[in-house]
Amino acid sequence: MKLSQRVKPISYLKAHAAEIVRELGEGAEPLVITQNGEAKAVLQDVDSYEQTQETLALLKILALGQRQVEAGKVVAAGEAMAAIRGKRAG
C-alpha cells in the first residue's frame, strides 16, 4: 500500500486512536497524520521503528567508513592483524 493512501487528519487520530494502534500492531503500514492540511507526523509500529533505526545506524557506520577511506585513514588488513597479534603477545 502506498503511504499516500494512509493519510488521515489529526481529528481521525483522536477519534480512532485505539483502532489505529491495534492496526499498527497487526502490521499495518505507517499512517501519516496531518494538521491544518499539512503532514505533521508518521505513526508506525515499534518493530518497524526499531528496524528503521538499526538500518540508519548501519548506514551511518558505512558512511563514516567511506569518509575514512577517502581521507586515507586506512591500514592494510595484514598490518592490522599483526598489530592485534602483537598486543595479545605483549
Side-chain angles (χ1 to χ4, degrees):
M1 178 180 294
K2 292 184 178 182
L3 196 56
S4 63
Q5 295 175 339
R6 298 271 299 162
V7 178
K8 299 291 182 189
I10 196 163
S11 58
Y12 181 86
L13 172 62
K14 291 176 183 178
H16 300 91
E19 176 186 343
I20 291 168
V21 170
R22 187 185 77 254
E23 288 176 1
L24 291 172
E26 293 172 352
E29 295 292 320
L31 184 67
V32 176
I33 301 299
T34 62
Q35 187 174 35
N36 298 323
E38 294 182 24
K40 294 292 184 178
V42 176
L43 297 177
Q44 68 183 118
D45 67 286
V46 173
D47 290 337
S48 294
Y49 176 78
E50 288 175 345
Q51 183 177 6
T52 299
Q53 294 303 305
E54 289 175 10
T55 301
L56 287 173
L58 289 172
L59 289 171
K60 287 178 182 180
I61 290 168
L62 288 172
L64 175 61
Q66 183 62 37
R67 285 194 302 270
Q68 289 176 335
V69 168
E70 290 169 358
K73 297 180 180 179
V74 295
V75 175
E79 291 177 38
M81 292 304 295
I84 291 170
R85 288 186 185 110
K87 286 182 182 179
R88 285 187 192 163

